[in-house]
Amino acid sequence: MRPVLVLTHAPHEGPGRIAPALDAPVQVRTVLDVADPRLPALDALSGIVVMGGQMDADDDRGHPGLAAERRLLAAAVDADVPVLAVCLGMQLLGLALGAHLHRRTGTEIGFGPVDVVADDPVLGALGVRPTVLHWHSDSVGLPVGATLLASTAATPVQAFRAGSALGLQFHPEVDVGMLDLWLATRDMADDLDADEIEVVRADGATHLPTLVPAAEKAFATFGESVRARG
């Protein structure tokens, strides 16, 4: 079976619970600071997963590899390759499909509900108003022709479907261990005071026992599309 390409942008923002749910080989690459990265050809892949990061999705001067990621994502949608894009990954996917990035449009950090507004075979496993982990300050518009799947007041586009690609602004890949890592990582938690960190930690203890198994079902459904491509 062809591998799933996982594009990461920070050592602490790996695929989390996504990778084991795929039941497929995984190839992890970090290319954001490479001006001309050699990414695998689409016919060598069964799917693509794009993770989060602290940089702006359009910061090609600071991180020239982002342009190559966007080109790959646009080509993947055209070729009907399964794509799962999370947080920065969703913003890159949106830009690749012609949407606009909105910088600093409303910071959301911590657990809170999203309103699911349309059916989707992957996202649907989370329920109609799941409480999920948010960790972003930028957002992206809805690409032309894409289906809006989830929304919050602060971030109107929390999830969308564009053909073979699913974008999620929030972080269902996170489990307790990954959350602890984020709360101990300066790049992630610098803007949080000690009380805010403890609130996020306590909310994780409350919500992750329900969220993690639901997310694993969602990722397994994505894995079915990956295995169907073979």
Side-chain angles (χ1 to χ4, degrees):
M1 181 174 178
R2 291 174 287 188
V4 177
L5 175 65
V6 178
L7 293 171
T8 63
H9 308 94
H12 50 274
E13 293 205 51
R17 303 310 306 166
I18 298 172
L22 295 179
D23 191 26
V26 171
Q27 178 184 355
V28 180
R29 295 281 302 278
T30 302
V31 301
L32 76 162
D33 292 332
V34 181
D36 187 21
R38 295 185 178 182
L39 290 168
L42 290 175
D43 60 9
L45 301 172
S46 61
I48 300 172
V49 174
V50 192
M51 301 311 304
Q54 298 297 104
M55 58 289 303
D56 295 320
D58 60 356
D59 184 11
D60 295 355
R61 177 173 294 182
H63 305 287
L66 295 175
E69 292 189 39
R70 295 196 304 269
R71 290 193 298 268
L72 182 68
L73 289 170
V77 174
D78 285 344
D80 203 33
V81 176
V83 173
L84 178 60
V86 176
C87 200
L88 172 65
M90 187 185 96
Q91 296 164 16
L92 290 165
L93 175 64
L95 290 178
L97 300 178
H100 296 287
L101 183 71
H102 305 292
R103 294 189 180 192
R104 321 301 181 256
T105 53
T107 298
E108 292 180 290
I109 297 177
F111 286 86
V114 294
D115 293 312
V116 176
V117 299
D119 292 334
D120 184 81
V122 177
L123 181 63
L126 299 185
V128 296
R129 199 168 190 264
T131 295
V132 296
L133 179 62
H134 305 269
W135 212 298
H136 71 100
S137 58
D138 293 353
S139 62
V140 73
L142 185 68
V144 174
T147 299
L148 178 67
L149 298 179
S151 183
T152 62
T155 306
V157 182
Q158 282 280 358
F160 69 79
R161 165 71 66 180
S164 61
L166 173 64
L168 304 174
Q169 183 58 62
F170 49 90
H171 289 277
E173 80 278 12
V174 171
D175 57 18
V176 172
M178 195 168 182
L179 180 61
D180 286 342
L181 174 62
W182 285 13
L183 292 174
T185 299
R186 179 173 297 178
D187 285 349
M188 297 294 290
D190 254 1
D191 294 332
L192 302 177
D193 62 31
D195 289 342
E196 290 170 326
I197 288 173
E198 288 312 308
V199 168
V200 175
R201 195 187 311 278
D203 285 349
T206 298
H207 296 296
L208 287 175
T210 300
L211 178 60
V212 168
E216 288 175 340
K217 290 180 182 179
F219 301 146
T221 300
F222 175 73
E224 291 173 6
S225 65
V226 165
R227 292 189 295 278
R229 178 171 166 81

